[in-house]
Amino acid sequence: MSRRETEEWTRQAKTPETRASIRRWSRRSDFLFWVGLLLVLGGVVFVVWSVVTERHGHPLFWGLIAVTVVLVLTCVALGSHAGGRLSEARFTDGHVSVGRVDEVITHTSGESPDNYDIMVSALLPGSVTIRRKIELGAGPGHLSDDDVGRGVRFRHNTLDPDDLDDVLFDGWQGGRPHRSTPRQSRVLYADAQVSVGRVDEVMTYPGIPGMVDQTTYGLMVSIELPGPVTLRRRICVGEELLRSPGRRFGRLIRLRHNTLDPENLSDAFFDGWADEAKGG
């Protein structure tokens, strides 16, 4: 981090302790960066010199190379730690907001683990909606469009609605949403079999207050077919589909499914309630 950037973050801090912490971790991060860079450059110069003078076969050569590699890796590890602590220090006095994931951006690079960015939004008092872009890297495990709508906590120093970089990931809020057919259209089930099943279980996934998407429900459904064969399916529906009169547990539901696999839970598309007219 440049001196100018450090002073900018220091000015945004609200307490002397936070300002001192930002400066301390910034100095450590810069120091480890330059030490690591000098070690790499020194190692390159040493290798070139050893080859030119034909001393690269000596045991001392390999010993010094090994020591240099260890020192560089140590600087990288300590620098990463210092960078993380610096990020935390910059947002120590910031706001903590709870928002939702609007988009998952996946960066695929060959055989390396995928890296992820998430676009998030949060509704603040005064009907102000802020948007931020959180770079998660490869740490959180596999993310997908299933995570759209997931609750997320983050820190930010300003209330600028579109300062995308003013953000620090502070953890997930609540459980991971379960969607049986994310972004699937009726086209995928146009030629599917339509069956009537019974709702065995209702799982509630509360939404985030103030967000457009409110509570969603995961319905576990059993479908008895001739044989006898019982299919188990899971379907996610919004709150508006449960506002119609009638009970939830044991209610008959129409589902479309492409297979007869008894435990392919995600092979399901909501086709309406059996006790309501089609399209009702």
Side-chain angles (χ1 to χ4, degrees):
M1 178 184 291
S2 67
R3 183 178 180 84
R4 181 178 179 181
E5 290 176 319
T6 299
E7 292 305 317
E8 179 64 29
W9 284 107
T10 302
R11 282 195 296 270
Q12 293 183 18
K14 297 181 176 62
T15 64
E17 293 80 10
T18 301
R19 287 191 284 271
S21 180
I22 291 174
R23 291 192 178 100
R24 180 173 63 255
W25 288 109
S26 177
R27 288 194 297 267
R28 292 184 184 182
S29 180
D30 290 343
F31 172 77
L32 291 166
F33 170 79
W34 287 111
V35 170
L37 181 60
L38 289 175
L39 285 171
V40 171
L41 293 177
V44 172
V45 171
F46 175 69
V47 169
V48 172
W49 176 80
S50 298
V51 171
V52 171
T53 59
E54 298 183 352
R55 299 182 182 182
H56 56 282
H58 198 279
L60 180 62
F61 169 82
W62 296 108
L64 290 175
I65 291 296
V67 170
T68 302
V69 170
V70 170
L71 291 175
V72 169
L73 293 178
T74 301
C75 286
V76 170
L78 293 176
S80 178
H81 172 73
R85 294 299 300 270
L86 175 59
S87 296
E88 294 176 4
R90 293 185 308 185
F91 290 92
T92 298
D93 299 332
H95 309 276
V96 179
S97 296
V98 176
R100 53 155 283 166
V101 177
D102 294 327
E103 182 183 1
V104 176
I105 304 170
T106 305
H107 304 283
T108 302
S109 54
E111 297 180 356
S112 301
D114 291 341
N115 289 283
Y116 301 95
D117 299 339
I118 54 175
M119 300 297 299
V120 303
S121 61
L123 182 64
L124 304 183
S127 299
V128 176
T129 299
I130 62 173
R131 300 181 71 249
R132 297 293 187 265
K133 180 180 180 180
I134 303 178
E135 298 179 0
L136 294 179
H142 178 71
L143 296 179
S144 68
D145 288 341
D146 285 0
D147 292 283
V148 172
R150 189 176 183 184
V152 60
R153 292 190 314 275
F154 60 93
R155 291 179 174 269
H156 52 100
N157 285 317
T158 75
L159 299 180
D160 186 335
D162 293 304
D163 187 355
L164 299 183
D165 297 325
D166 173 39
V167 65
L168 176 69
F169 178 70
D170 198 42
W172 298 106
Q173 183 76 9
R176 192 168 190 168
H178 295 268
R179 293 178 173 84
S180 59
T181 54
R183 300 200 175 188
Q184 289 182 346
S185 68
R186 184 177 292 273
V187 175
L188 298 178
Y189 290 88
D191 299 323
Q193 180 174 339
V194 180
S195 298
V196 175
R198 188 178 302 276
V199 177
D200 298 326
E201 183 181 357
V202 178
M203 296 162 287
T204 306
Y205 304 101
I208 301 170
M211 294 293 101
V212 175
D213 290 344
Q214 293 296 313
T215 303
T216 57
Y217 298 87
L219 309 181
M220 292 300 301
V221 180
S222 60
I223 304 171
E224 295 184 2
L225 300 180
V229 176
T230 300
L231 306 185
R232 295 268 296 166
R233 294 295 186 266
R234 182 176 60 214
I235 190 78
C236 185
V237 298
E239 189 173 12
E240 72 281 356
L241 294 178
L242 294 182
R243 289 175 181 167
S244 56
R247 64 189 183 190
R248 296 177 180 176
F249 295 99
R251 190 174 182 184
L252 297 180
I253 183 175
R254 290 194 305 272
L255 294 180
R256 290 176 175 265
H257 53 97
N258 286 312
T259 75
L260 296 179
D261 185 340
E263 297 297 334
N264 188 357
L265 299 183
S266 63
D267 175 35
F269 184 85
F270 179 74
D271 199 46
W273 299 106
D275 56 2
E276 294 181 353
K278 190 78 169 180

